[in-house]
Structures are given as C-alpha cells and as structure tokens.
C-alpha cells in the first residue's frame, strides 16, 4: 500500500514559528493547482501501480482551498491511481476556515479526516504566535466538524511556547480532552533560524522557554493523555484505540509515498525525490513539462539510519530481525553495552525481538537514535 501527499503552500499570514514552505500571496493559486494536476499526471507511474490507501492535504493551509478545488484534485487522483475504497483522506485545516458550509462541502467531496491546527486555546498565546484564528474559533471548530458528520478528527497542540505557563498548558490539555478528538498531535516549539522567532532570538528580542520547560510540558502531556485513554503510539502523536494516522504511520513503516506540490517529498523504497520550495519556479517547470525536483539514491547506511530514526519514535519500535534479514545489521551485537545501559536506566525494553523506547526514553529519542546510527 502507498500514500499521496499534496502540499498546498498558501497561508493567510505567517506564524512567527513556522519554517514550512508557504506564501501569503494567493494570486498564483489557480496556476499552482494546475501545476499540481500536471505533476500528478507526470508522476502517474511513480508508485508502480501500488494501491493508494491514504491521501493527505498538508501545507501551508489546505483549508484555504475551495471545497470544489479539493474535490477536483481528489477526482483526478482517483483517475490516475488505484485509490482504495474507504481510503483515509485527511485535510489540514485552520479553525477560522471551518464554517458549517465549508465542512459540509468537504465531506461531500470525499474528505473523511480533519487535522485541525488549534495549537493553543489561550488568546494571548495565539496572538503571540501570530495565528490567524481566535480562541473562540479554537473552541468551536471541533463541535462544528462533529455536526457536519466528521468522526475522525485530529487536533494539533504546541507546548513550550512563550507565555505558556504550566497552568496555561494544563488548561490547554483539559480543553482538548473535553473535546475528545480521536487523535492529538503535540509538538514542542523549535526555534528555526529563518523564522520571526529565530531572528528575534538572535537579536535578543525573544527569550524562548528553556529545555526544562519543554520537558515539564511533555510529561504533563503524556500523563494527561494516557490517563484519558489515549495511546501514545509515536513521540508526538496520541490516539484513541483504532484511530492512529494511517498516512503518517506509512512514513514510519517505510511504505511508498508520492509528494505533489512545491516542497513535497517522495519515496519509493529505493530513492527520495524533493520538489523545489519555490512556487513560481515550480509552476514554470511544470508548464514546460519538467518535473521540478532533485533526487538521491539511498544506500545501505541510509536505509538503516532512516529505519532507526522513524521506528524508535513509535510504540512498536524497531524489528531487530528485520534489520538482520534486510540489511545484515546486528544492532544488538554492535551496540550491546549501550542497549544494556538503556534498559538498566528504564529508557528502553526488548520484547519479541523488538527494541522499544519507554516513556522516559522517548524524551531522549533523538539522542538515543544518534548513538545508534551508522556513521
């Protein structure tokens, strides 16, 4: 099975923390949508006939599209690829775009899962992030989606934010759990150099919360969601039983996916492709019949390191026998002492020939993975 990701690179305004590819200039929207249609035609055989089980509209802000534009893209993908009946079709949305009329229209064109970027319910913190929506819209969006018939809803939250005390974060968690979404993704603020926050930090205008704040918020997050019956199936992702994100899980399980749109990535088990992060050049190249991308062939070391990086973030961990059979890599033998130390510290466990990080270990997932990488 395979997935398709569409990057819709438009936003109403620039959030101060965001490093994703986007533009606030919506004038070229129609040309860019036509370019995505053209790229899909040119990439029709990239997945080698493999059935598509997930389609994901990310961004940017895909909810800026008219429902008809989203529907046209979905219809075209169904014509070009074998999209499974009942495929998971996710659209990322901002709360301010989700009117009853828009939600009903999205349901009609085939969207069956929403990923709503709430981030926080605290109005001062939202303003400090330069988010386009209000706290009132954050409160209202999930009930509106329920009323429109959506029964698979994910919300995004952020923690470790400027002005977000432990009390404010606890209120965010309580309000999120009261909405009982099927899925919650929660991310700690990362200061990226080219963002407004990055520039302000460099100039001393912004003093970001320290790592200890992020760790405190992360522990509050995991404890609250586990108590509420959510499964912690990936470092940043939680779900009610049976509601994990099939699309994101396909990345972590090393399945094929095709990325369409500027800045999108593709993977076919042998190589990776990267689309250029420039809307104008993306459009021009496709109008000229040229795919706007670069690629790289993956070697044995790349495959092993990627499997470690993605697998250790998940609740099912990494399959040690798979590493031996597929890549002739004996992780236990080559890292015996370090793995024993991790288990003794309660950071990892071995179970049915799988290595999994504990809740304590996931706090150090990046550090642990780096120690296990083949360099």
């Amino acid at each position: 099975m395979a997935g398709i990701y569409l990057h819709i690179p438009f936003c109403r305004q620039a959030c101060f923390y965001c490093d994703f590819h986007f533009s606030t200039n919506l004038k070229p929207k129609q040309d860019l949508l036509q370019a995505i249609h053209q790229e899909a035609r040119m990439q029709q055989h990239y997945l080698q006939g493999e059935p598509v089980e997930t389609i994901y509209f990310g961004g940017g802000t895909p909810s800026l599209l008219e429902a008809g534009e989203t529907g046209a893209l979905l219809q075209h993908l169904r014509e070009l690829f074998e999209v499974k009946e009942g495929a998971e079709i996710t659209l990322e949305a901002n709360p301010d775009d989700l009117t009853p009329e828009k939600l009903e229209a999205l349901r009609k064109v085939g969207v069956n899962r929403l990923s709503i970027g709430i981030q926080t319910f605290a109005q001062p913190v939202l303003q400090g992030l330069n988010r386009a929506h209000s706290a009132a819209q954050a409160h209202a969006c999930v009930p509106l989606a329920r009323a429109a018939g959506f029964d698979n809803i994910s919300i995004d939250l952020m923690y470790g934010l400027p002005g977000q005390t432990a009390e404010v974060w606890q209120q965010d968690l309580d309000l999120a759990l009261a909405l009982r979404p099927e899925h919650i993704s929660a991310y700690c603020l990362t200061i990226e150099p080219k963002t407004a926050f990055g520039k302000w930090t460099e100039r001393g205008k912004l003093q970001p919360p320290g790592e200890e704040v992020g760790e405190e918020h992360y522990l509050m997050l995991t404890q609250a969601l586990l108590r509420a019956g959510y499964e912690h199936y990936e470092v940043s992702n939680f779900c009610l039983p049976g509601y994990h994100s099939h699309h994101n899980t396909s990345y972590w399980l090393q399945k094929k996916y095709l990325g369409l749109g500027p800045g999108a990535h593709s993977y076919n088990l042998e190589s990776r492709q990267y689309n250029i992060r420039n809307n104008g050049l993306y459009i021009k190249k496709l109008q000229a019949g040229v795919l706007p991308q670069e690629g790289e062939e993956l070697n044995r070391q790349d495959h092993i390191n990627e499997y470690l990086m993605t697998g250790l973030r998940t609740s099912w961990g990494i399959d040690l026998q798979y590493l031996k059979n597929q890549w002739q890599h004996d992780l236990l033998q080559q890292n015996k002492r370090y793995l024993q130390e991790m288990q003794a510290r309660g950071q990892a466990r071995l179970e049915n020939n799988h290595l999994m990080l504990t809740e304590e270990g996931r706090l150090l997932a990046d550090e642990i993975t780096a120690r296990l990488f083949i360099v």
Side-chain angles (χ1 to χ4, degrees), residues 16-17 118-122 124-129 131 156-166 168-169 172 187-191 197 206-210 213-214 217:
F16 291 153
Y17 58 85
I118 288 176
Q119 316 311 354
T120 175
F121 295 92
V125 182
L126 282 172
Q127 291 174 334
L129 299 175
R131 293 289 292 171
D156 281 2
L157 299 176
M158 292 183 69
Y159 58 92
L161 300 171
Q164 187 185 47
T165 63
V168 170
W169 177 229
D172 280 341
Y187 304 99
C188 187
L189 173 67
T190 300
I191 302 293
F197 275 178
L206 175 71
Q207 182 65 44
V213 173
H217 287 191

Side-chain angles (χ1 to χ4, degrees), residues 180-194:
R180 199 67 177 172
E182 284 71 25
H183 189 280
I184 296 175
S185 297
Y187 304 99
C188 187
L189 173 67
T190 300
I191 302 293
E192 301 291 351
K194 294 182 181 180

Side-chain angles (χ1 to χ4, degrees), residues 268-336:
N268 65 2
L269 305 186
E270 300 298 330
S271 64
R272 292 202 177 281
Q273 294 178 354
Y274 313 91
N275 283 356
I276 57 176
R277 290 167 55 106
N278 182 298
N279 292 357
L281 286 176
Y282 173 84
I283 292 168
K284 285 181 182 178
K285 283 185 174 290
L286 282 160
Q287 286 175 341
V290 178
L291 286 171
Q293 60 192 209
E294 297 179 351
E296 62 172 331
E297 295 294 321
L298 302 179
N299 58 32
R300 173 178 174 271
Q301 175 178 317
D302 295 330
H303 282 292
I304 292 171
N305 288 347
E306 174 124 350
Y307 182 64
L308 292 174
M309 181 176 66
T310 55
L312 282 173
R313 292 179 62 88
T314 67
S315 59
W316 46 85
I318 54 175
D319 184 337
L320 301 176
Q321 194 60 48
Y322 170 81
L323 278 174
K324 282 184 182 180
N325 295 343
Q326 187 73 14
W327 306 112
Q328 297 75 53
H329 182 60
D330 191 334
L331 188 76
L332 280 182
Q333 186 61 36
Q334 295 191 27
N335 299 274
K336 187 174 182 179

